[in-house]
Amino acid sequence: MTNPKLLWSEEFNEAVPSPTVWGRDLGDGTEKGIPGWGNNELQVYTEGNAFVTADGILELEAKRVTDGSAGIAYYGPAEWTSARLVTKGNVLFQYGEIVIRAKVPAGVGIWPAFWMLGEKIDEQGWPLAGEIDIMEWVGREPLEALGTLHGPGYFGDHGCGGKLVAETAFSDDWHEFGIRWKPDEISWQVDGKTYFTATPQNVSPNQWVYNQPYSMLLNMAVGGNLGGPLAADFPESVKLLVQWIRVYEFEGYGQVIQL
């Protein structure tokens, strides 16, 4: 079997995530009308919580704040800062195999994610524009990797998805989380093992909204509806580590749109 064609990659060779690829979502969502980013999350996103190390590892840091320097969140003085990177306005993707090599942090209450939103999110809103969660992981369920679709009629707790249950905590080592995406089908993998596949039949009679371009998002939330309460011994700082993100052609499909 020949190796798949590499269409795009982010190897994090610059000291900061490239501004020609990555924008930043900032604040706690209040300015966008979704305080707590719609999930009762505790963090305020800042410019300074995402950086690249000398050996080419992207770090997204969630950090406890006690001096009031992070400003006011929807619940009062912000207690946590973190980072959310987005390719919206810079790069869009449609179909292909999309893979991230990452190491998630331990800690009951942490909620890192690598996901996608439909190109028309500003016009159509959520969930009509569609959301593809390539990887979600929460510290309170350390053995479970989650992959989910959110669309019209199936979103939030009723999203269409699956999970892979491992024998050891995902935070113990590096893993490759990905999707293989073509018209009318998306499958989810961890380290090359497929654990869930969705087609229009899975969301019927609701609409399948995934045959269109999407942007990428990479973030680390603290607490929230899925992350859950923070453990009493939750660390003062935790980091999501990312070695690379790569997009390959899959069964002849795959498009990268530079804006």
Side-chain angles (χ1 to χ4, degrees):
M1 181 177 179
T2 59
N3 293 327
K5 179 181 179 182
L6 180 66
L7 301 177
W8 181 91
S9 72
E10 174 60 275
E11 306 293 333
F12 300 108
N13 295 322
E14 303 179 29
V16 295
S18 172
T20 63
V21 176
W22 301 102
R24 312 282 183 117
D25 277 342
L26 302 175
D28 72 341
T30 297
E31 290 188 1
K32 293 181 178 292
I34 44 175
W37 298 97
N39 296 292
N40 297 306
E41 300 161 22
L42 300 177
Q43 79 286 341
V44 170
Y45 291 128
T46 77
E47 290 275 3
N49 289 62
F51 46 91
V52 178
T53 66
D55 54 351
I57 301 297
L58 172 68
E59 297 189 355
L60 271 64
E61 182 181 25
K63 188 174 182 180
R64 190 186 299 271
V65 179
T66 58
D67 62 1
S69 60
I72 302 299
Y74 70 97
Y75 56 83
E79 299 172 0
W80 289 89
T81 58
S82 189
R84 179 155 127 172
L85 304 182
V86 301
T87 69
K88 180 184 175 186
N90 292 323
V91 192
L92 296 171
F93 306 85
Q94 184 171 359
Y95 307 135
E97 181 173 2
I98 301 173
V99 186
I100 185 171
R101 179 171 170 79
K103 188 173 188 294
V104 297
V108 174
I110 200 65
W111 177 10
F114 177 50
W115 48 301
M116 308 183 81
L117 286 173
E119 176 187 18
K120 298 178 181 179
I121 185 67
D122 288 341
E123 305 162 35
Q124 297 179 336
W126 185 92
L128 181 58
E131 175 180 328
I132 305 169
D133 295 335
I134 298 174
M135 179 278 290
E136 285 187 293
W137 182 86
V138 291
R140 61 184 174 83
E141 297 289 355
L143 303 181
E144 298 182 2
L146 308 175
T148 313
L149 299 178
H150 299 275
Y154 51 101
F155 54 87
D157 291 342
H158 303 288
C160 172
K163 64 183 178 182
L164 176 69
V165 180
E167 295 182 358
T168 59
F170 279 96
S171 56
D172 288 350
D173 205 350
W174 290 83
H175 295 279
E176 295 179 14
F177 305 91
I179 58 170
R180 292 172 182 155
W181 176 22
K182 63 183 181 180
D184 292 340
E185 183 179 295
I186 303 173
S187 64
W188 283 256
Q189 293 78 34
V190 174
D191 299 326
K193 179 180 180 180
T194 299
Y195 66 92
F196 180 67
T197 299
T199 69
Q201 185 176 358
N202 292 83
V203 302
S204 179
N206 297 303
Q207 185 180 1
W208 177 267
V209 293
Y210 310 101
N211 296 341
Q212 61 174 319
Y214 275 66
S215 61
M216 289 181 183
L217 300 91
L218 179 64
N219 74 291
M220 189 152 65
V222 180
N225 298 344
L226 186 58
L230 275 61
D233 61 349
F234 194 87
E236 298 291 302
S237 168
V238 293
K239 294 178 180 179
L240 169 65
L241 309 180
V242 180
Q243 187 175 11
W244 46 255
I245 301 170
R246 295 172 181 167
V247 179
Y248 301 92
E249 189 175 83
F250 175 63
E251 295 188 358
Y253 293 99
Q255 182 181 16
V256 179
I257 305 167
Q258 302 282 346
L259 301 176

